[in-house]
Amino acid sequence: MSKVATRFAPSPTGALHIGGVRTALFNWLYSKNQKGTFHLRIEDTDKERSKDEYKLQIIKSLKWIGIEHDGDEYIQSTKINDHIKVANELIRNGNAYKCYCSNEEIEEQKKRAKQKKLPYVYNRKWRDLPESDAPDNIKPVIRFKSKIEGSSTLKDLVQGDIEIENNTIEDFIILRNDGTPTYNLSATVDDHLMNMTHIIRGDDHKINTFKQMQIYVAMKWTLPSFAHIPLIHTIKGKKLSKRDNASTLDDYSKIGIMPNALRNYLLRLGWSYKDKEIFTLEESIEHFNLEGIGKSPSKLDMSRILSMNEHYIKTINENELYIQLVQYCELFKEKIEADKEEKIKHSLIFLKNKAKTLEDIYNNAKYIVLSKVDFDKNDLNLIDAKAKTIISEFKNNIKILKVLNKETLEPIINNLIKAHKTNFKGIGQPLRVALTGSKFGPGIYDIIISLGKEEVEKRLSDKVLA
RNA sequence: GGUCCCUUCGUCUAUCGGUUAGGACAGCUGGUUUUCAUCCUGCAAAGGGGGGUUCGAUUCCCCCAGGGACCGCCA
């Protein structure tokens, strides 16, 4: 048996969709599991909507999540002549024909079908009409001569055998009247030219597969294996579309979801391996198989994505996490200056305990990242006269400390609690606000220690004087 | 409407005829705790309905219901 080759074939007409990412992931994992190759084909034949920037963005997104294709990307538009050749060959061998129906004629048929509440199927008018009957004012389209009798079976690797009556497949157009090929022709010819052994794609392509299988047969090409994976649905149970929010990769990366977490989530969405939930990239390659793909569509669940991300935040090492944070902040927040690296890296150990996303980490680390703290007016009001006294006393008390750590700070705080007949909150809250500008955030000891003595004194002075 | 697909806790899923139907996320308890969290206990939560086959069905078959996809000279 030949080496497994799979492909992902997006059209560059928009940002990469999370459903597409999962399809790409499954294709990639399957090929890697089988020690085969994975290819990227850009289906850019829709000239109106295809954009180069989208192509670049697709490649970048795939790379972001850990998928890299083998070889160069295959650009469909450069192969149009091959597609046309096949169309002509199909006419020659009697498997396709020119259809001279006018637009009006087709529209009329569609309208009539609609009125009778019947499905529209092209009436195969020109299937057997001689070329001599052709009107000279109409440019023909080329239609594939679909089988009318009997039925066809698709041996789907995920869904099992699917049988369909041949007469439900119409004589679909393979060449438009401007001479350009349509999707079903192009995709089939390309898959053949690229020597694809496994076509793994969304459920929504099932009907196309029946059309494409007929082209393979008509051209006497070897049929690849097909696997149709269930679609991802929105929480409302509908097919996910680009119009839904939180549907593109960017939607996730911008809120600080890490690639590995999303990859892991997507892997487990519609696929399972026993009770295992967490898969490193290597493990996912090792265990991935087509048998583990479920048959029913699955709903996107944000809370799971978040908790997966949280898991990765908590378990990857601080250096790795810091790298991710820096990249994230540079892209979506403030750039982290190099001189902040030490402070932030050391703080990660407590920052990550309260974060589900990189954005959470950023928010909780803002007091370190930004040199100047923004104060909310309501929070500022918390620093009243009494608070100022406390802050000022605290500041005086730490002056004599050589090192700031929990052991040295705790007695000071405890004394203040006693002196002011208050509780920990009574001391901690004003200090927290003065130091970070927020009522919420890391533990007060963590804040003080991470900021360092000099910075603490500076920030406290500002508040007392204010 | 036609064709095809799907159906286990709210969600993702395990089970490949015999289980107290398991896990994870979310939810809710209780505990630890300096805010918010984290962490640790525990609880609750599922086989759409009806027929078969079988000693025994979530598991196999059929019917129904519900949901979904497709039905472009888009890909």
Side-chain angles (χ1 to χ4, degrees):
Chain A
M1 191 170 153
S2 59
K3 203 167 143 187
V4 165
T6 63
R7 87 311 195 262
F8 176 55
S11 55
T13 54
L16 192 54
H17 190 269
I18 196 162
V21 177
R22 190 184 62 151
T23 304
L25 179 66
F26 282 15
N27 272 288
W28 179 78
L29 284 172
Y30 184 68
S31 73
K32 294 303 148 199
N33 172 271
Q34 298 287 310
K35 309 260 185 298
T37 52
F38 167 76
H39 305 265
L40 180 64
R41 180 167 81 227
I42 302 294
E43 304 208 329
D44 59 342
T45 52
D46 184 337
K47 285 277 169 260
E48 305 262 301
R49 296 190 298 153
S50 294
K51 291 212 173 97
D52 223 43
E53 58 175 288
Y54 289 134
K55 181 188 94 175
L56 263 24
Q57 197 253 14
I58 287 169
I59 296 170
K60 210 176 88 191
S61 291
L62 291 178
K63 200 170 176 185
W64 180 79
I65 207 158
I67 300 174
E68 281 193 70
H69 56 278
D70 298 303
D72 292 334
E73 52 269 19
Y74 182 106
I75 307 296
Q76 188 164 63
S77 59
T78 65
K79 304 288 178 179
I80 284 179
N81 285 336
D82 295 300
H83 308 159
I84 296 172
K85 259 182 226 160
V86 172
N88 289 327
E89 175 63 24
L90 252 11
I91 296 179
R92 229 172 297 138
N93 64 26
N95 283 292
Y97 61 93
K98 291 178 181 172
C99 164
Y100 290 92
C101 287
S102 66
N103 272 332
E104 294 71 38
E105 219 173 327
I106 299 288
E107 283 311 311
E108 180 60 30
Q109 284 178 37
K110 282 187 184 172
K111 209 194 283 172
R112 220 176 304 149
K114 207 173 180 182
Q115 274 167 3
K116 289 189 193 160
K117 297 209 167 197
L118 286 170
Y120 163 73
V121 195
Y122 171 65
N123 64 8
R124 311 181 208 262
K125 179 176 167 188
W126 285 90
R127 187 174 170 117
D128 300 308
L129 247 38
E131 190 76 10
S132 53
D133 286 8
D136 44 343
N137 60 333
I138 289 192
K139 275 205 214 156
V141 296
I142 311 296
R143 289 183 184 268
F144 183 82
K145 205 180 271 185
S146 284
K147 288 195 193 114
I148 299 176
E149 306 284 323
S151 61
S152 302
T153 301
L154 160 63
K155 294 192 175 308
D156 194 286
L157 262 24
V158 168
Q159 317 229 356
D161 287 4
I162 302 166
E163 195 181 352
I164 194 173
E165 295 293 320
N166 287 327
N167 62 21
T168 60
I169 308 235
E170 69 165 350
D171 285 357
F172 54 97
I173 293 170
I174 54 177
L175 234 49
R176 303 183 182 95
N177 63 186
D178 65 357
T180 58
T182 61
Y183 168 73
N184 278 303
L185 207 226
S186 296
T188 307
V189 176
D190 287 342
D191 284 334
H192 171 73
L193 255 27
M194 292 167 78
N195 293 313
M196 293 295 105
T197 62
H198 296 259
I199 310 295
I200 303 167
R201 69 207 333 181
D203 219 354
D204 49 347
H205 279 286
K206 227 185 292 169
I207 296 297
N208 289 328
T209 298
F210 280 97
K211 295 177 178 172
Q212 296 175 196
M213 284 197 304
Q214 293 201 48
I215 298 180
Y216 280 98
V217 173
M219 291 301 293
K220 299 192 168 62
W221 291 339
T222 26
L223 223 50
S225 299
F226 291 95
H228 291 91
I229 62 179
L231 300 174
I232 296 178
H233 280 178
T234 63
I235 206 75
K236 289 201 175 107
K238 302 282 185 210
K239 175 182 170 181
L240 197 67
S241 84
K242 284 175 189 167
R243 308 204 56 169
D244 292 301
N245 44 16
S247 71
T248 69
L249 264 199
D250 284 355
D251 291 330
Y252 295 93
S253 59
K254 79 176 174 214
I255 61 167
I257 300 294
M258 299 191 294
N260 257 336
L262 193 61
R263 192 213 82 236
N264 199 149
Y265 171 77
L266 252 18
L267 173 69
R268 282 286 289 100
L269 189 67
W271 178 84
S272 62
Y273 178 76
K274 301 177 184 168
D275 274 343
K276 194 168 165 62
E277 299 284 351
I278 305 299
F279 293 82
T280 62
L281 199 63
E282 292 70 30
E283 285 172 329
S284 61
I285 290 172
E286 184 191 340
H287 296 302
F288 189 79
N289 55 18
L290 264 18
E291 295 76 49
I293 299 176
K295 292 183 169 192
S296 53
S298 31
K299 295 186 179 114
L300 214 49
D301 180 1
M302 196 56 201
S303 67
R304 274 207 83 167
I305 298 176
L306 252 17
S307 82
M308 187 64 81
N309 202 51
E310 183 180 13
H311 176 269
Y312 275 84
I313 282 180
K314 297 227 166 80
T315 50
I316 63 177
N317 72 54
E318 270 103 49
N319 284 324
E320 171 63 17
L321 184 57
Y322 182 73
I323 291 169
Q324 303 252 10
L325 182 70
V326 169
Q327 286 172 354
Y328 170 76
C329 288
E330 180 153 8
L331 235 40
F332 300 105
K333 305 286 178 189
E334 285 11 69
K335 186 170 187 223
I336 296 179
E337 301 301 330
D339 64 324
K340 299 277 167 58
E341 174 168 346
E342 275 310 294
K343 276 186 181 177
I344 294 176
K345 219 183 234 179
H346 285 304
S347 307
L348 244 22
I349 201 146
F350 61 83
L351 287 171
K352 70 182 182 183
N353 275 336
K354 39 201 314 135
K356 280 185 156 59
T357 64
L358 295 174
E359 185 172 39
D360 291 343
I361 296 184
Y362 167 77
N363 283 337
N364 281 320
K366 250 184 186 169
Y367 74 95
I368 310 177
V369 178
L370 305 175
S371 307
K372 208 169 175 328
V373 182
D374 284 330
F375 288 92
D376 183 87
K377 219 170 81 189
N378 291 327
D379 289 337
L380 211 49
N381 288 341
L382 287 176
I383 305 182
D384 52 16
K386 187 181 175 191
K388 279 184 185 175
T389 319
I390 291 170
I391 290 169
S392 156
E393 285 174 27
F394 177 80
K395 192 165 75 78
N396 290 335
N397 283 327
I398 63 166
K399 260 186 193 146
I400 55 157
L401 295 182
K402 285 197 185 72
V403 274
L404 296 187
N405 58 36
K406 197 172 174 190
E407 286 64 45
T408 55
L409 290 168
E410 203 165 24
I412 294 176
I413 301 249
N414 284 339
N415 286 336
L416 284 173
I417 291 173
K418 264 186 222 147
H420 291 272
K421 293 191 173 59
T422 179
N423 54 18
F424 193 95
K425 204 176 160 186
I427 308 298
Q429 216 51 326
L431 286 176
R432 182 198 308 282
V433 172
L435 255 16
T436 71
S438 171
K439 276 186 290 188
F440 309 108
I444 190 67
Y445 292 121
D446 289 329
I447 293 174
I448 294 170
I449 296 163
S450 63
L451 242 22
K453 192 176 171 188
E454 193 184 331
E455 185 68 18
V456 168
E457 287 180 354
K458 181 174 165 288
R459 291 189 186 193
L460 293 182
S461 308
D462 288 351
K463 280 308 110 192
V464 179
L465 299 174

